[in-house]
Amino acid sequence: MYNIAIDGPAGAGKSTIAKIVAKKLEFIYVDTGAMYRTLALACFRAGISANQEADVIKKCESVTVSLGYEDGTQKVYLNGEDVSSEIRQEEIGNMTSAIAVYAPIRELMVSMQRKLAAENNVVMDGRDIGTVVLPNADLKIYLTASARTRAERRYKELVEKGQECDIDAIEADIKERDYRDMHREIAPLKQADDAELLDSSNMDIDQVVEAIISKVNK
């Protein structure tokens, strides 16, 4: 099996890039962030706040998260329900980052993700894929971009969806999430020693995709 690990901070475009790379290589794309977001959604629906650690863990251990494909598009299911759109809400994203610091939650997800990688050629993106989940991945990429660039991309996405937002607030939120992800005690976000750094601040999607594919099997 050939495994590609793509790590990087929030808003770097990891999911978008990973999906395209997987499609071009005919690999399976594993959206680890979506898996974590699904657990956060389960807690959110149950009225459990991120700081209620025991309740968060109990709830997450009681639900089933699965991946599937419909018309070539990956779907994420919570107890069999398609929640692919719902998990993309901003409040779910913030809660996800907060509950991902709990060791039992990470252990649950890592076990599930490693099993997928052992059985398939995969492109997997997240915060700790190359450092923790797949330390022996065949190719590791650390994808990043400036905080302002990431905020501008997020702002554009939200505006296109008809949502009112403030770009400065988005940038501040991104910086806060970066700090939290990089300073958490368990599996902090960092570039693996053998990962290749790719700054997409001045690159378009096609350029980033080609840069990654050119490194496969090199």
Side-chain angles (χ1 to χ4, degrees):
M1 296 299 120
Y2 195 97
N3 296 165
I4 299 175
I6 301 178
D7 288 310
K14 299 184 300 296
S15 297
T16 299
I17 299 301
K19 287 175 188 174
I20 299 171
V21 169
K23 188 172 184 178
K24 284 182 175 287
L25 295 174
E26 297 185 341
F27 284 14
I28 288 176
Y29 166 60
V30 180
D31 186 345
T32 62
M35 295 169 76
Y36 278 102
R37 280 171 176 267
T38 303
L39 293 182
L41 176 63
C43 294
F44 180 78
R45 284 180 170 181
I48 300 169
S49 62
N51 60 5
Q52 295 175 279
E53 183 175 353
D55 291 333
V56 165
I57 293 168
K58 184 177 180 181
K59 183 63 181 177
C60 291
E61 290 177 341
S62 73
V63 302
T64 300
V65 177
S66 56
L67 302 176
Y69 285 86
E70 289 181 20
D71 299 324
T73 301
Q74 181 175 278
K75 299 291 185 179
V76 190
Y77 302 95
L78 171 60
N79 296 329
E81 176 194 352
D82 181 359
V83 293
S84 306
S85 297
E86 196 173 350
I87 61 171
R88 296 301 170 186
Q89 297 175 72
E90 202 73 9
E91 57 195 349
I92 301 302
N94 291 331
M95 187 169 187
T96 300
S97 184
I99 71 168
V101 301
Y102 300 139
I105 301 299
R106 302 200 70 79
E107 289 167 9
L108 187 69
M109 289 286 96
V110 169
S111 175
M112 204 182 293
Q113 291 155 9
R114 284 178 176 164
K115 186 173 186 295
L116 284 166
E119 298 171 351
N120 305 276
N121 292 323
V122 302
V123 179
M124 196 177 293
D125 73 281
R127 303 285 197 278
D128 61 351
I129 309 304
T131 53
V132 177
V133 182
L134 302 178
N136 298 314
D138 301 277
L139 174 63
K140 299 179 185 178
I141 300 291
Y142 188 83
L143 181 64
T144 190
S146 68
R148 190 64 180 186
T149 296
R150 288 182 279 142
E152 288 169 351
R153 291 171 180 170
R154 184 60 179 155
Y155 176 82
K156 185 179 178 182
E157 283 178 12
L158 294 172
V159 168
E160 287 175 351
K161 292 178 181 176
Q163 297 182 33
E164 290 186 13
C165 49
D166 179 273
I167 192 166
D168 293 327
I170 293 172
E171 184 178 6
D173 182 54
I174 282 174
K175 288 179 177 178
E176 182 183 335
R177 287 171 69 178
D178 283 353
Y179 184 87
R180 188 162 60 212
D181 288 340
M182 291 175 179
H183 291 82
R184 66 190 181 204
E185 186 176 340
I186 301 166
L189 167 66
K190 62 181 179 180
Q191 181 179 342
D193 293 337
D194 54 347
E196 302 204 31
L197 177 65
L198 192 55
D199 189 323
S200 69
S201 297
N202 298 306
M203 299 171 74
D204 63 27
I205 291 173
D206 290 340
Q207 290 173 321
V208 177
V209 169
E210 290 309 313
I212 293 174
I213 289 178
S214 70
K215 300 176 188 298
V216 175
N217 284 326
K218 290 291 177 69

